[in-house]
Amino acid sequence: MIASALFLSETIEGLDDGAAFLDRLTPTEAARVRAAGRSVSLAPGESVFTQGDAHEGIFLIEAGRVRVYYSGPSGRQVTLAYWTPGHFIGGPSIYGGGFHQWSGIAIEPVRVTVLSSATLRSLIRQMPNFALCLIEALEAKGRCYTAMAQMLGTRSVIERLAQLLLNLGDLYGSSESGAVVIRRRITHDEIAALVGSTRQWVTMMLNRFRREGIIAIDKSHIRLTRPDRLKDIVLTEG
C-alpha cells in the first residue's frame, strides 16, 4: 500500500509534495532538528491538536497517519487531508499567538516531533537551510489547499465523488480482469467528509453506481468495474 497523503484533488500528482521537506538538510542537521523537539506518541483517536486551541508550533509526523479536519458550527466535519510520515502539520506559528483553525487526530498509532515556536525561531536563525525547508513545505501546503478549494468551488459533489474514487484507484488499486480493486478500507463517513457531503448522500450514490455496474463493493474492497464511466462523470456531469 502506498503511504501517500490524501486530499481532494483532480489528480494524485502532487499529493505527497512536502513529505520530504527536510531532505535538503544533511543527516546531522536533520538529527539536530529532531533533537531540538519533543517526541510524542498517540493512540488512534487521540488529538494531535484541536481547533480553537492556541498554537504551539508544528508537528513533524514520524510514523502513522493524521486526519486534519474542520468542524463547522453545526458539528459537521470536512476532512482537509490525511497526512503521512514526512509531512508537518499544525502551523506554523513562528512568533507564537493565534489559534488552530482546524483539528488533527491520529487514525492509527502516530508518533510526532513537536517543535515549539521558540524552537522554530532558534533553528531558523541557526540553520538557514531549515528556513528554506520550511518555506518549501509551506508552498506545498498552499498547493494542497488550493487544489481542494478548486475542487469544492468548481466541481459538483458527484464529480468530486467520482474523482475521489479514481484517485483511490490510482493510489491503492490493482488491475484485475479490466477492473481496479482498491485495497484500502474507507467508510462512507470518510468519503463524505472528503467530498463535502453527507454519509446518506454518499451511500445513495454508491448504491446507484453499483446498480449501474460502475462499482462493486464488499466488506474490504471497492472494485471500480467501469473506471471509464467514472471519468465520463468527472468530465460531463454538473
Side-chain angles (χ1 to χ4, degrees):
M1 182 177 293
I2 300 171
S4 170
L6 177 65
F7 50 85
L8 197 59
S9 176
E10 293 187 0
T11 174
I12 66 168
E13 292 182 12
L15 287 183
D16 236 17
D17 284 359
F21 79 103
L22 293 180
D23 279 4
R24 70 162 57 240
L25 300 181
T26 66
T28 300
E29 288 173 327
R32 184 178 170 186
V33 167
R34 289 185 167 89
R38 172 172 54 93
S39 182
V40 175
S41 295
L42 301 124
E46 286 193 285
S47 292
V48 184
F49 57 91
T50 302
Q51 184 175 324
D53 284 357
H55 273 293
E56 296 180 359
I58 66 172
F59 305 82
L60 306 180
I61 303 176
E62 308 286 4
R65 290 184 298 151
V66 176
R67 174 181 173 242
V68 173
Y69 62 94
Y70 174 78
S71 296
S74 67
R76 181 174 167 186
Q77 295 179 357
V78 175
T79 296
L80 304 179
Y82 289 90
W83 295 117
T84 48
H87 291 279
F88 83 79
I89 55 175
S93 181
I94 304 297
Y95 290 99
F99 299 91
H100 288 291
Q101 301 300 304
W102 40 74
S103 301
I105 189 170
I107 59 171
E108 57 193 39
V110 162
R111 180 167 49 85
V112 297
T113 298
V114 184
L115 297 172
S116 69
S117 297
T119 299
L120 287 172
R121 292 195 300 272
S122 177
L123 290 170
I124 287 169
R125 284 193 293 265
Q126 297 171 32
M127 300 169 57
N129 272 350
F130 177 68
L132 293 174
C133 289
L134 203 55
I135 290 169
E136 289 180 0
L138 285 168
E139 289 176 345
K141 283 287 191 292
R143 290 193 294 273
C144 153
Y145 293 124
T146 297
M148 185 184 70
Q150 288 173 338
M151 286 287 287
L152 290 172
T154 66
R155 296 287 190 177
S156 68
V157 65
I158 190 173
E159 290 174 311
R160 299 197 296 267
L161 175 60
Q163 186 65 66
L164 177 63
L165 291 172
L166 289 169
N167 287 356
L168 289 171
D170 288 339
L171 284 172
Y172 304 108
S174 58
S175 296
E176 291 186 8
S177 304
V180 177
V181 180
I182 300 171
R183 302 191 180 281
R184 173 183 167 180
R185 291 181 60 86
I186 184 165
T187 68
H188 292 193
D189 283 321
E190 290 170 330
I191 293 173
L194 275 164
V195 301
S197 186
T198 64
R199 179 185 60 79
Q200 292 82 358
W201 183 89
V202 166
T203 298
M204 179 183 70
M205 291 309 303
L206 291 179
N207 285 336
R208 170 186 151 184
F209 286 173
R210 282 199 295 187
R211 291 194 301 271
E212 294 179 1
I214 298 172
I215 65 172
I217 302 176
D218 60 31
K219 291 183 179 180
S220 57
H221 301 132
I222 298 176
R223 183 184 296 267
L224 309 183
T225 50
R226 292 191 58 195
D228 58 323
R229 176 61 183 131
L230 290 173
K231 292 175 183 177
D232 288 343
I233 291 171
V234 168
L235 294 174
T236 63
E237 295 210 18

